Amino acid sequence: MKTCICAVAFCVLGALAASAQQDLDIVLAGGRVLDPETGLDAEGDVGISSGSIAAISETSLSSRLKPGGTLIDARGLIVAPGFIDLHAHGQTNRANEFQARDGVTTALELEGGYGSVGEWIASRKGRALLNFGASVSHATLRVSAMPELAGKVKGNEAESSPELRAGLYAPLPEERTKTLYQLFEKGLREGGLGIGMPHAYYPGADRREIFRVFEFASEKKVPIYTHVRQVGVEAIQEVVADAAATGASLHVVHVNSTSLWDLPLVLEILEGARKRGVDVTTEAYPYTAASTSIESAIFDDGWQERLRISYGDIQWQNTGERLTEETFHEYREKGGIVIIHLMKPEWVDLAVKTPFVMVASDGMPYAAGAHPRSAGTFSRILGRYVREREVLDLMEAVAKMTLHPAKRLEDVAPAMKKKGRIQVGADADVTVFDLGTVRDTADFEGDLTYAEGVVHVLVNGVFVVRDSQSVRDVFPGKPLLGRYLVN
Ligand SMILES: [Zn+2]
């Protein structure tokens, strides 16, 4: 009798143990697992359960798979945290697909942001392929705060309204600062990740107004993401001085395209400020051309001298043609996107290999003929800079795309502490790629094409790329929300 009870108890416990062990939805087996925070770089299995990383082991985890779970043979592949793009203007699922094929799992609109963050988040929630989030738009809200324009600018439809355009060249009166602050605060309460401040596009914002934005950001302890006023060293000195004077956190977008010949000096200034405790970070994309609207303030009179380029260096996105004086004026009148060939390869190399410079795409909204950075930024870093040219080592490159952007945001968005890492308890945002073949394929001549060598991509534990193919009809992307909404 006694023996019998023991045998029954043993059986029950054994069954419980077996079911407790069969807890994994997905096992990525036998890949080279990288975690830039802990320095883990070893072959092993990664187990995923309910959207999180549940186990990492040098021995097999396949016995812990639930019945019907997914076993992926990742031998010979790199298993890395999903890439976090701090600078992604493409915020549709079509753009997300190109980003996913490039290894991106979180795509954020921080440079420009939105006038109504809440409206935008609501429009994407439950429908997004990738994780998404945005800053609060200084460009839009400063116009909303202008006495003669207040009330005419609504939500996010204001982006290209005539009212907004008129406001680009007017300073915000000092007495309207409080109104601007109230609008900023509303955006933060709707989940905004800080203040998007691309003041190169609205030269009316004078140095006083910009300083007031820094004061606000410092008080609220949220970062400013800036496209600096003009190219070169004066522009960087304005924002670094304001960050130092106010204590605000500052992220300088695309340091390559706004520094140009001054890049070595700009990087020295940024490094010096960082060493002295200013919270400033920056990013670059690995291409020698920029891209923006031809009708923007970037092309106001004097652009040839400012950028040291001419008509033939500008390419019309729709046709790929290079411009002449005549077509430049024709297109500027009607408006549209251009690609601007203005950087030397050595400037881009310097930005990419500088240790504190992160990788971010500045990818444009999806369009035929769009700048290739929209589809190839991250695979280009891995293929060209790591594998072919050995400019960066693999772990350093992965850190620039994962851990460093996550850490930049984790004060304003605590959920970022669970991203950019392959660790137990982290979100299962994972990119599995073949270091032997990963490469960008899009160029300046044709339409966008998917990167190659990115084999599997998971967002919150759901495949968005599997066996190098896009997965259809999945929407696992979640909003990344600033702490003023979360708390
Ligand atoms: Zn920009």
Side-chain angles (χ1 to χ4, degrees), residues 87 89 111-112 198 200-201 226-228 253-254 257-258 283 285 291-292 298 362 373:
H87 194 155
H89 299 303
E111 178 197 35
Y201 290 95
T226 188
H227 176 154
V228 295
V253 305
H254 50 47
S257 64
T258 45
E283 60 173 56
Y285 54 81
S291 182
T292 197
I298 305 294
D362 194 9
R373 67 193 184 189

Side-chain angles (χ1 to χ4, degrees), residues 249-318:
S249 298
L250 174 66
H251 182 74
V252 176
V253 305
H254 50 47
V255 71
N256 48 322
S257 64
T258 45
S259 302
L260 305 176
W261 51 89
D262 273 343
L263 183 70
L265 182 56
V266 165
L267 291 172
E268 272 188 67
I269 291 169
L270 293 175
E271 190 175 11
R274 287 165 59 83
K275 279 190 183 148
R276 281 153 191 80
V278 180
D279 179 16
V280 55
T281 53
T282 191
E283 60 173 56
Y285 54 81
Y287 293 90
T288 51
S291 182
T292 197
S293 305
I294 195 171
E295 69 274 26
S296 72
I298 305 294
F299 290 107
D300 284 356
D301 286 351
W303 60 269
Q304 293 100 321
E305 294 73 37
R306 277 199 303 278
L307 303 175
R308 301 186 189 174
I309 55 168
S310 190
Y311 300 105
D313 298 310
I314 304 175
Q315 191 178 5
W316 184 238
Q317 175 181 276
N318 287 350

Side-chain angles (χ1 to χ4, degrees), residues 408-421:
R408 166 73 285 179
L409 291 177
E410 59 189 40
D411 285 345
V412 68
M416 268 293 168
K417 289 180 181 155
K418 291 189 168 187
K419 296 195 182 293
R421 293 140 167 113

